[in-house]
Amino acid sequence: MRPPLADVLGLEPHPEGGWYRQTWASPVEVTLPDGRVRPTATLIHFLLPAGESSAWHRVASDEIWLAHTGAVTLELGGTDVRPGEPTAEVCDAAHPQVLVPAGVWQRTVPSAADALVSCLVSPGFDFADFELASG
């Protein structure tokens, strides 16, 4: 079911779970070591409704999670081929910024209330740099 805040903010379903919309991309570009070009940074809104979680995934860029409302608990599972034993980081009013380094497996776990965060990704996000854990 589509959450009302997803309508208000124009959010779409994210492949990892939750709802998102890119809100900004830097007009400045960077060339990656493999020759691909990305914005230096991108920013999204990410809504995780109460009781929902995201799948294990990783991104080839650093991510900074920024809290707006509610709390998101991020489990970080290392950089091996598959997610490993997780550590937890909470992104909320008391801890309004959480860094997920490039290439680190991550997922969110359910909470009792809706959470709205933003994710700043640098170099900028591209689905070509996004990997969902298999099985």
Side-chain angles (χ1 to χ4, degrees):
M1 185 166 104
R2 186 175 178 82
L5 189 54
D7 282 332
V8 170
L9 296 175
L11 307 180
E12 298 296 326
H14 197 292
E16 76 191 43
W19 300 80
Y20 84 107
R21 178 174 62 89
Q22 184 174 294
T23 58
W24 175 79
S26 173
V28 178
E29 294 182 331
V30 62
T31 301
L32 303 178
D34 64 7
R36 294 178 298 153
V37 177
R38 296 279 185 273
T40 55
T42 56
L43 183 66
I44 66 167
H45 282 316
F46 182 73
L47 173 65
L48 193 64
E52 291 189 19
S53 61
S54 70
W56 279 111
H57 65 284
R58 61 181 167 182
V59 175
S61 299
D62 287 343
E63 293 183 53
I64 298 177
W65 289 59
L66 306 162
H68 298 298
T69 61
V72 172
T73 299
L74 293 153
E75 288 190 339
L76 306 180
T79 59
D80 286 340
V81 175
R82 306 244 331 119
E85 186 65 32
T87 60
E89 298 280 344
V90 175
C91 186
D92 61 9
H95 307 93
Q97 296 180 0
V98 173
L99 171 66
V100 178
V104 170
W105 289 105
Q106 62 179 294
R107 70 176 175 185
T108 58
V109 296
S111 67
D114 291 357
L116 178 65
V117 298
S118 289
C119 287
L120 178 70
V121 180
S122 180
F125 180 83
D126 188 294
F127 275 105
D129 300 328
F130 174 83
E131 179 184 3
L132 281 170
S134 60

